[in-house]
Amino acid sequence: MAEVRTRFAPSPTGALHVGGAHTALFAWLFARHEGGKFILRVEDTDELRSTDESLAAIYDGLRWLEIDWDEGPDIGGPHAPYIQSERLDIYERYIGQLMESGRAYRCFCTPEELEERREIMRARGIPPRYDGTCRDLSEDEQQRLLAEEKPYCIRFRVRETGTTVVDDLVRGEVSFDNALLGDFVIQKTSGYPTYHLAVVVDDHLMQISHVIRAEEHLANTPSHIQLMDALGFGVPQFAHLPLILGTDRSKLSKRHGAVNLMDYRDQGFLPEAMRNFLALIGWSPGTEQEILNLQELIEAFTLEGVSKSPGIFDLEKATWLNGEYLKQADAEHITDLLEPILRREGLIEEQLSPARREWLVAVVDLMKERTRLLRDFVTWGRYFFTDDFPYDNRARTKWLRREEVPERLDMLAERVAELETWDVDAIESAIRGLAEDLDVSAAKVIHPCRAAVTGQTVGPSLFHLMELIPREDVVVRLRRAAELGRAGEMEPLPAEE
Ligand code: GLU
């Protein structure tokens, strides 16, 4: 069998959306499963909307997910260049070929004229398409219009009879009525090729064996197949991936969560969790297994496992998966990903000394079991980094506003301040020792202490977390909570709107 070659062909006109990342991932997984090649090709034929920032965002997004490419704009390859705006002469040649064979023609209709005619078709209930006005202009007529310097585009003359069948590896055979296709533009008035022309030429020249792309392009495929036939190209295999919907089964939008892939990084998703999550949208490994590492995904991935019906983007599931990954992940690795998030929040310094880094790894190790997003370190885990954290209402009502608590916190502060060492054992004996001396259960000291030091009633082992907070800070926090309690400032706060 010929080599499997797939491609991701983004248009750099904005951020990398989760839908684009999903397409890239599937094309990449298929290539890797088959031992083939994955090509990155930049489709910037929309010259007005394409930007370098967007291209940079695409690179960032793919790299974040650890999707690598064998050929692409930055690394070159046997079919370079891989940016369409650098391939204009190639497209021109093929457009020339179609003009010569009579399969393409100049169209002088203005945008206003086209819109007017489309309006009429819509009003008559006919699906709008090009009506063929310029299809058969005489040579004389064309020369006259050219002499007048009337702008024109170039259209492809479609075969209007019969049907074009797309044999799709996901959807099976899908038949399109050629009469509905309409002659489409292959070269714009600006002289730039359109997406339709460029994608067909490049998939051929780059020897793409499998065109794996989003379902929205299925309707373009019969036009592409006709173009391939006219140019004498073979037809690649097609696999159109299902739509991605929100949990309410409407089109994915901001309401369902961020649509920009990198927002997930910023919220603290691990790339491996996001990759796993995206892979499970519209694809199933055929087993119950939901947590698949990179190697397992590559091994299990087949196009047969891709579903025809829409995939659901379920943020709850993504968050759950991320929590599972956090539990398993190595604390050093999590710390690498967490550092920029904490830095952005101003919770750690620009440069961590080796000792601070070691401390941060220890914080991560203690917390990772209970977090689902890296952002949880900024919210729940805030007390590791600053004294400036809120006391939640449970901490207030269950402990901090109780009459006997301020005195206990002050006594504890005193004992803590006098400890000779600052480690788990010393901390534990100070707390238990105070409880014994007061003749109360240890819980009656442990819980208020946790509330004072963290602002919360739940969290990791109190003795272990205290060890990771400087002793002076602990003393300050115990005294502060005591004072606020005495001053009647520990009443519950009104629920937030
Ligand atoms: N540039 C197209 C897009 O971003 C690619 C479509 C295709 O894969 O053929 O939608």
Side-chain angles (χ1 to χ4, degrees), residues 41-45 81-98 186-187 191-203 205-206 231:
R41 181 177 73 228
V42 175
E43 302 206 323
D44 57 347
T45 54
Y82 292 88
I83 296 196
Q84 290 188 328
S85 59
E86 294 172 11
R87 300 171 60 82
L88 299 179
D89 53 326
I90 300 175
Y91 309 126
E92 222 156 276
R93 270 207 315 276
Y94 286 98
I95 293 167
Q97 187 184 320
L98 291 166
I186 54 175
Q187 186 182 71
Y192 250 63
T194 58
Y195 154 67
H196 302 298
L197 187 279
V199 77
V200 163
V201 167
D202 286 347
D203 283 343
L205 294 178
M206 296 179 183
L231 288 166

Side-chain angles (χ1 to χ4, degrees), residues 6-18:
T6 68
R7 76 334 186 246
F8 177 50
S11 302
T13 55
L16 180 59
H17 283 185
V18 288

